[in-house]
């Protein structure tokens, strides 16, 4: 499937896992994105499956952030297809992505410290009864969302976000996606600034999120985290997809090679043997 | 910190389902908040008590009924201008031109009424519209061109004084003796009406507070202990009834012409306070103002039109400033070329900050304008009674503003350290 890829200029032809179990929830096909003369993304293919964590790995400048912003509708794509649930869609802005059920959890958490947890979770999408904010509904729903993720570390949903630790803030940001019944959640470096225990909590949360049927894209530098929660790994190298493999089929060393050089000799051999 | 999962937290959110601590616990929680830097109205209320004691001992006329009524009319324009500035300060911006923008608006009103014989209602509407237009222009420049509001409004501060001069003529002034406008500060409600309005406000607040409390308890949401709700109602009732009682006494020095009743400016402030508390605390717009003040980038990503919020806030500020200078015109009986210039704006900024609104944005309430405005007005009034030279007034008010800003900065640091 998807052989539209032209491997001539690719450092390594991307390897693809045949997913017979389920179809991708969200798929990008042959995405190109340039900023002036800088061609940042070259024919990128990406698939996010429901109930799975797909990790997007790559070195600085590989194009991870650009790809996420294309997915989130912040950058328009130059060429290529944006396919949601098998249907091509056009995403012109963050609102279009939001309407499809795509939620982005940014690295520099988009939370307002002076507001409390409930207020942050409903920010921009407040529930109203008439002219007035419907605080009771919002508080109940926020509580439900946090309970459904078995979040236990937050004392009160009326705590201001300023009083939360990094891990708890990440939790709130992720719980927001549950609240809005998101189909796809993009997590940009969710554990980058966290300690060991907090990373543990957030990774557990990411796993629970995927287990509930959501398609999760995890952008991360930390291969330990990636191997712990990801079902699939897509490696970017200089704006191209270096590999798209199941986590169980690769080793950490191979992924490091993919990130740093764009190919992994023994991976090509083993992967081609499985796909043939 | 809170990461450690204790036994009680193991039950998930059960620990905060009721959140109805005992009275003692909520008092302790309050003390904790104050120590952590979240002082709210405490400094201004404390300051007010201290000022009342000091001036009360220093001059026996300070606590007289007549002076209390004077104090309230003097505080009126300051409080309204401070209320205008609270949303701007919530965004972390400043509007230095609010005073003179109000001055231009009051001039428009005065000129229309006196020179063109227009009815007062039309003149007031024209004044408010003038304020709104000035605010929209400031907001557009700040939001769309990205010039710091400090610079934009400083330019307007200078430029609008010229507009006032042009409208009114060099050094001139327009006398305001139209009955309704002059009556805001100079006429009083009847004694009976004063009691009725006062009791109605208390009853309305009590019913709303009790209904909300019951709804929260029924839905299992976080709520305050019942005793705290009752204490708040009693505190409000005490203040309202006390003020009404004092103002309903005869305060005239001439026994043949008794003066009693609440000056109309007071119910006006109460209405504005309710309006702004509602707008900032209960509407989507208010929530978005806090969000933009707290983290504009987060607000933008949440789909809030940050520019629109900025423009609307500057518009609301200048419109309220127009109202403030109309009240000022009523107090002083005229609109002059220096209306809203001088220290009017600094008094208002000082009032908002003393009341507890942060200069750093994201924190503050409409009621801060009232408590802070009373502090500023009390200083001016008290020093005036002591026949001090006016330079002392400037030095003391400037010192109080600096003190309030320092308290704001220090408590902010403590808040970020304790995470409140």
């Amino acid at each position: 499937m998807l052989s539209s890829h032209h491997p001539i200029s690719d450092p390594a032809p991307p390897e693809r896992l045949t997913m017979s179990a389920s179809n991708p929830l969200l798929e990008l096909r042959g995405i190109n994105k340039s900023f002036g003369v800088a061609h940042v993304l070259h024919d990128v293919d990406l698939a996010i499956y429901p109930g799975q964590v797909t990790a997007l790995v790559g070195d600085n400048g590989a194009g991870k952030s650009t790809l996420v912003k294309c997915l989130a509708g912040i950058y328009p794509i130059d060429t290529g297809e944006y396919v949601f649930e098998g249907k091509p869609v056009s995403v012109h802005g963050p609102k279009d992505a939001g309407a499809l059920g795509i939620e982005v959890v940014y690295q520099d958490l988009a939370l307002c410290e002076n507001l409390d947890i409930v207020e942050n979770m409903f920010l921009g999408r407040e529930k109203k009864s008439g002219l007035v904010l419907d605080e009771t509904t919002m508080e109940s729903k926020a509580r439900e969302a946090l309970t459904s993720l078995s979040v236990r570390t937050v004392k009160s949903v009326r705590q201001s976000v300023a009083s939360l630790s990094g891990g708890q803030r990440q939790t709130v940001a992720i719980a927001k996606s549950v609240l809005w019944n998101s189909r796809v959640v993009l997590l940009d470096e969710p554990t980058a600034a966290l300690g060991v225990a907090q990373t543990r909590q957030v990774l557990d949360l990411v796993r629970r999120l995927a287990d509930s049927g959501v398609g999760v894209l995890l952008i991360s530098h930390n291969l330990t985290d990636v191997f712990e929660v990801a079902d699939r790994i897509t490696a970017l190298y200089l704006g191209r997809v270096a590999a798209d493999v199941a986590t169980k089929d690769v080793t950490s060393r191979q992924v490091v090679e993919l990130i740093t050089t764009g190919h992994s000799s023994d991976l090509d051999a083993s992967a081609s043997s499985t796909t043939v | 910190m809170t990461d450690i999962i204790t036994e009680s937290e193991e039950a998930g959110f059960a620990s905060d389902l009721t959140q109805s601590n005992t009275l003692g616990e909520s008092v302790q929680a309050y003390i904790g908040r104050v120590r952590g830097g979240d002082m709210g109205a405490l400094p201004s209320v404390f300051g007010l008590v201290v000022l009342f004691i000091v001036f009360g001992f220093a001059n026996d006329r300070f606590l007289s009924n007549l002076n209390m009524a004077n104090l309230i009319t003097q505080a009126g324009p300051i409080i309204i201008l401070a209320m205008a500035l609270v949303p701007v300060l919530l965004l972390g911006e400043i509007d230095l031109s609010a005073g003179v923008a109000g001055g231009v608006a009051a001039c428009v009103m005065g000129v229309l009424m006196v020179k063109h014989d227009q009815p007062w209602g039309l003149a007031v509407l024209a004044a408010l519209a003038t304020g709104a237009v000035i605010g929209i222009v400031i907001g557009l420049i700040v939001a769309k061109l990205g010039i710091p509001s400090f610079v934009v409004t400083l330019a307007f501060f200078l430029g609008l004084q010229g507009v006032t001069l042009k409208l009114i003529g060099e050094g001139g002034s327009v006398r305001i003796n139209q009955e309704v406008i002059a009556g805001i500060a100079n006429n009083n409600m009847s004694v009976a009406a004063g009691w009725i309005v006062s009791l109605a406000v208390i009853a309305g607040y009590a019913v709303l507070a009790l209904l909300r409390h019951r709804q929260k308890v029924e839905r299992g949401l976080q709520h305050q202990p019942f005793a705290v709700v009752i204490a708040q109602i009693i505190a409000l009732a005490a203040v309202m009834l006390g003020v009404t009682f004092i103002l309903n006494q005869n305060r005239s020095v001439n026994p043949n012409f008794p003066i009693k009743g609440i000056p109309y400016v007071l119910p006006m402030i109460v209405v504005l306070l309710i309006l702004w508390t509602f707008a900032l605390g209960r509407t989507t717009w208010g929530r978005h103002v806090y969000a933009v003040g707290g983290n504009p980038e987060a607000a933008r990503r949440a789909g809030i039109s940050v520019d629109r919020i900025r423009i609307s806030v500057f518009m609301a500020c200048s419109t309220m400033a127009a109202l403030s200078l109309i009240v000022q015109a009523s107090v002083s009986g005229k609109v002059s070329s220096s209306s809203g210039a001088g220290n009017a704006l600094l008094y208002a900024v000082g009032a908002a900050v003393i009341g507890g609104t942060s200069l750093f944005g994201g924190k503050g309430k409409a009621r801060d304008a009232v408590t802070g405005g009373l502090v500023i007005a009390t200083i001016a009034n008290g020093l005036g009674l002591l026949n001090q030279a006016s330079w002392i007034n400037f030095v003391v008010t400037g010192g109080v503003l600096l003190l309030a800003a320092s308290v704001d900065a220090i408590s902010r640091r403590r808040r970020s350290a304790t995470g409140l």
Side-chain angles (χ1 to χ4, degrees), chain B residues 15 50 234 307 351 383:
Chain B
S15 62
V50 170
I234 291 172
D307 285 356
L383 289 177

Side-chain angles (χ1 to χ4, degrees), chain B residues 78-419:
Chain B
I78 300 174
I79 288 174
I80 298 173
L81 195 56
M83 246 185 239
L85 282 161
V86 164
V88 175
L89 294 174
L90 280 177
L91 291 185
E93 309 271 1
I94 186 88
D95 186 353
L96 296 176
S97 69
V100 290
V104 170
C107 259
V108 168
M109 177 193 75
V111 169
L112 277 179
M113 282 196 316
V114 175
K115 294 191 180 164
H116 299 280
D117 290 324
Q118 296 296 321
W120 70 272
L122 186 78
V124 167
L125 279 181
L128 295 180
T130 307
V133 169
I134 294 170
I136 290 174
V137 174
I138 294 171
L140 277 171
I141 295 173
V142 170
K144 300 293 180 188
L145 290 184
I147 307 173
S149 56
F150 176 81
V151 178
V152 176
T153 57
L154 185 59
F156 271 80
F157 175 73
L158 297 172
L160 289 175
Q161 292 187 55
V163 175
T164 313
L165 274 179
K166 174 76 185 137
L167 280 174
I168 222 164
E170 296 273 341
S173 65
V174 178
R175 285 196 63 77
I176 302 291
N177 39 25
Q178 198 280 335
E179 206 176 314
V180 176
I181 301 299
I184 297 172
N186 300 311
N187 289 355
N188 304 308
M189 300 169 83
S190 73
V191 171
W195 283 116
I196 291 169
V197 169
S198 179
L199 289 171
V201 170
I202 296 167
Y205 176 82
V207 168
L208 279 178
L210 291 173
L211 279 179
R212 275 183 64 197
H213 182 77
R214 215 180 74 183
Q215 191 187 24
K216 283 181 175 182
V217 173
E218 275 173 1
R219 300 260 208 121
L221 302 179
Q222 186 170 334
H223 58 83
Q224 291 173 313
F226 189 65
V228 170
V229 178
I230 294 295
Q232 284 171 341
I233 294 172
I234 291 172
L236 178 93
V239 171
M240 291 283 298
L241 294 176
V243 170
T244 310
F245 177 77
I246 290 171
L247 292 176
N248 274 346
Q249 303 297 308
N250 179 21
R251 54 180 178 264
S252 173
V253 282
N254 182 343
N256 298 324
F257 295 99
I259 306 173
K260 50 174 117 176
I262 298 171
Y264 280 105
V265 65
L266 185 56
M268 188 171 164
I269 290 171
V270 171
V271 168
L272 288 171
L273 176 64
I274 293 171
L275 193 77
W276 278 101
T277 305
F278 176 80
L280 288 173
R282 301 258 173 273
T283 67
T284 315
W285 178 81
R287 179 66 40 83
H288 291 179
V289 169
Y290 282 98
V292 172
N295 186 346
E297 182 56 23
R300 197 183 63 78
R301 288 183 192 168
I304 296 169
S305 170
V306 174
D307 285 356
R308 208 177 297 165
I309 293 290
R310 286 221 168 93
I311 295 167
S312 67
V313 163
F314 277 102
M315 187 190 89
C317 172
S318 297
T319 313
M320 279 289 286
L323 204 55
S324 159
L325 268 290
I326 291 172
V327 174
Q328 180 62 55
S330 171
V331 173
S332 54
K334 64 179 191 291
V335 182
S336 73
S337 50
S338 62
S339 280
N343 54 8
L345 182 96
L346 282 181
Y347 271 9
V349 174
V353 174
I354 290 166
T357 297
S358 174
L359 285 167
F360 303 96
K363 186 178 159 286
K365 288 192 167 91
R367 66 151 200 242
D368 297 348
V370 178
T371 50
L374 280 173
V375 170
I376 294 279
T378 305
I379 293 172
N381 177 291
L383 289 177
L385 282 182
L386 295 179
N387 286 325
Q388 297 295 344
S390 58
W391 68 267
I392 293 183
N393 195 346
F394 278 104
V395 171
V396 170
T397 313
V400 169
L401 173 57
L402 197 60
L403 184 71
S406 312
V407 169
D408 176 27
I410 293 165
S411 67
R412 180 184 147 88
R413 209 180 301 161
R414 284 192 79 143
R415 278 203 306 278
S416 60
T418 52

